[in-house]
Amino acid sequence: MRLAHSWPVLLAGVFLVNTIPAAAQLSPSQPDPLARIRAAGSNTPACSATGESLCEQVAPKIIANAQGESPLAENLRQLTDEIGRGTSGSSTSARTAAWGVAAFRNAGVDVRTEKFKQRVGDPDDQENVVAEIRGREKPDEWVLVGAHLGSSMHGSGVLNNNCDAAMVIEAARDILLTGIRPRRSIRFVLFTGDKESTPGSWAYVRSHRAELDRARTAIISRSGCGSMTGYSLNGRHDIESGLREAMKPIESLGAGHYLFDAALGTENFGFLVEGVPTLTAIQQQTGDLPNSSAASGTPDKIDIVVLKRNTAIVAVTAFGIAELAEPLGPRQSRAEIESLLKTSGLGEQMKIAGLCPFWQSGERGRKP
């Protein structure tokens, strides 16, 4: 693996003093990590620059876990070289999902699968892989971190999908290793099925519609293998201030670039049209990593340090949003979603993609 990029100098000291061994779980004999926060009173913000907030204290631990030894590179290699290589079909999809379950279990995270049909009448089930770290105060409210888990080694961007999937697993591991649970639950979902029509995320939204009022954010990783620069807020200007608060501990990582456009072709769409605040990771294009062929984009061309940095950004963002005193933003009504589709240009993209009938009929998106 090339190590062409380095972490910001400002964080070098943090890595040296905060590296946490793989077995570093809190035990009953350890001091209560929340005692200092409780003593500070209820006026302490969720994330601050003072070091008094829980978010501010946990972030360096997450970063240290991401920077240290981890299975990230090996998971990426397995996804690219072994899982589903050169084949497709239901058996490969099942093997891919089984691999995702095993990877989450190896990370120590509770995990399950959720079955769905990719198309009506399909004889075989697909499976989304769902892991969760339960919240300590509001476990029924949740932040979702998701990415596509490909089942075939052919097609554009497949290696990028593998970077995203490996990063989601690693983010769960890095948060869990801190030994501190966030205020709200964090779900880590690997969506399967045809990426272009997003059946995995669509199936997840359909099966969880009854609890979408408690979905605080969906963070979709589509940064691929390049350096992550920030998030697309998918037309939601109202969530910018809360996101900036959640990301204060990682300001020095330079991932504070925000876009407000919205785009099809990623797993965020199902959550967006249900009114859930969504964030989509954005990346810099890398000159030496092709985005076209999985055969030409191989693990040895990936800068694993960059992927670890991306993982730290996503993990700290998820923890910070889960820790906010108030939700990042409200779930939008259908009328508000309709307005967002017009102002963001997403409505025109939906027309071109033939998705408007699904929205108009209520088959996809929040019902009136």
Side-chain angles (χ1 to χ4, degrees):
M1 301 289 180
R2 294 189 297 107
L3 302 181
H5 298 275
S6 61
W7 291 69
V9 174
L10 182 61
L11 291 176
V14 173
F15 294 152
L16 292 175
V17 299
N18 287 286
T19 301
I20 299 175
Q25 301 286 343
L26 287 178
S27 67
S29 61
Q30 290 178 291
D32 178 6
L34 307 183
R36 184 179 176 192
I37 306 305
R38 294 189 182 101
S42 59
N43 292 328
T44 302
C47 296
S48 69
T50 64
E52 293 296 328
S53 71
L54 179 61
C55 178
E56 191 73 15
Q57 293 181 46
V58 171
K61 299 177 186 295
I62 293 174
I63 293 170
N65 293 336
Q67 187 267 346
E69 292 186 8
S70 78
L72 178 62
E74 175 60 17
N75 283 342
L76 180 60
R77 187 199 65 77
Q78 289 180 12
L79 274 171
T80 305
D81 292 343
E82 299 176 10
I83 306 301
R85 186 174 179 86
T87 60
S88 60
S90 59
S91 62
T92 300
S93 178
R95 186 164 66 252
T96 304
W99 179 90
V101 169
F104 274 121
R105 283 179 178 161
N106 289 339
V109 189
D110 292 335
V111 62
R112 65 183 185 277
T113 59
E114 296 183 0
K115 294 183 178 181
F116 67 95
K117 299 287 187 184
Q118 181 159 308
R119 298 174 185 84
V120 175
D122 279 358
D124 299 311
D125 289 325
Q126 300 277 343
E127 291 179 302
N128 287 329
V129 181
V130 183
E132 185 172 82
I133 296 176
R134 293 285 287 172
R136 68 180 189 277
E137 291 181 11
K138 299 182 177 182
D140 292 333
E141 298 181 17
W142 43 277
V143 172
L144 182 143
V145 179
H148 185 75
L149 181 64
S151 60
S152 172
M153 288 308 302
H154 296 297
S156 63
V158 174
L159 179 59
N160 284 348
N161 295 340
N162 291 344
C163 285
D164 293 330
M167 185 176 69
V168 169
I169 295 167
E170 180 63 20
R173 171 188 172 275
D174 293 341
I175 292 173
L176 187 69
L177 279 179
T178 67
I180 302 175
R181 293 181 180 269
R183 177 174 288 155
R184 298 174 180 85
S185 297
I186 304 178
R187 297 180 183 177
F188 303 87
V189 185
L190 299 179
F191 302 108
T192 63
D194 179 10
K195 184 182 179 184
E196 294 307 314
S197 57
T198 62
S201 55
W202 188 5
Y204 187 88
V205 166
R206 287 200 312 271
S207 63
H208 291 271
R209 267 179 172 158
E211 57 172 338
L212 288 182
D213 283 342
R214 300 190 296 275
R216 296 308 174 216
T217 316
I219 304 172
I220 304 301
S221 175
R222 54 168 296 184
S223 63
C225 307
S227 180
M228 185 173 163
T229 59
Y231 293 100
S232 168
L233 279 63
N234 293 291
R236 294 289 299 265
H237 290 266
D238 61 306
I239 66 176
E240 180 181 2
S241 61
L243 178 59
R244 289 191 183 278
E245 181 181 351
M247 294 182 68
K248 279 181 180 178
I250 49 174
E251 286 178 342
S252 61
L253 289 182
H257 178 57
Y258 301 150
L259 299 176
F260 293 94
D261 59 353
L264 291 177
T266 184
E267 308 285 359
N268 72 312
F269 177 69
F271 296 94
L272 188 154
V273 294
E274 285 286 351
V276 176
T278 61
L279 303 174
T280 309
I282 54 178
Q283 72 169 120
Q284 292 177 339
Q285 293 296 320
T286 53
D288 58 349
L289 179 62
N291 288 322
S292 57
S293 170
S296 59
T298 52
D300 62 293
K301 295 182 179 179
I302 302 303
D303 189 331
I304 200 66
V305 172
V306 167
L307 195 55
K308 286 184 173 186
R309 171 187 172 275
N310 292 352
T311 301
I313 292 168
V314 170
V316 172
T317 301
F319 190 96
I321 293 174
E323 195 61 29
L324 290 172
E326 298 296 331
L328 183 66
R331 185 184 180 194
Q332 290 184 322
S333 66
R334 186 175 176 88
E336 289 171 326
I337 300 167
E338 187 81 49
S339 176
L340 184 148
L341 296 180
K342 293 178 181 177
T343 58
S344 67
L346 187 57
E348 288 300 317
Q349 298 177 52
M350 290 169 61
K351 286 181 182 179
I352 295 171
L355 293 174
C356 283
F358 296 102
W359 163 257
Q360 292 165 355
S361 68
E363 186 175 349
R364 297 190 76 163
R366 187 166 191 178
K367 292 181 171 27

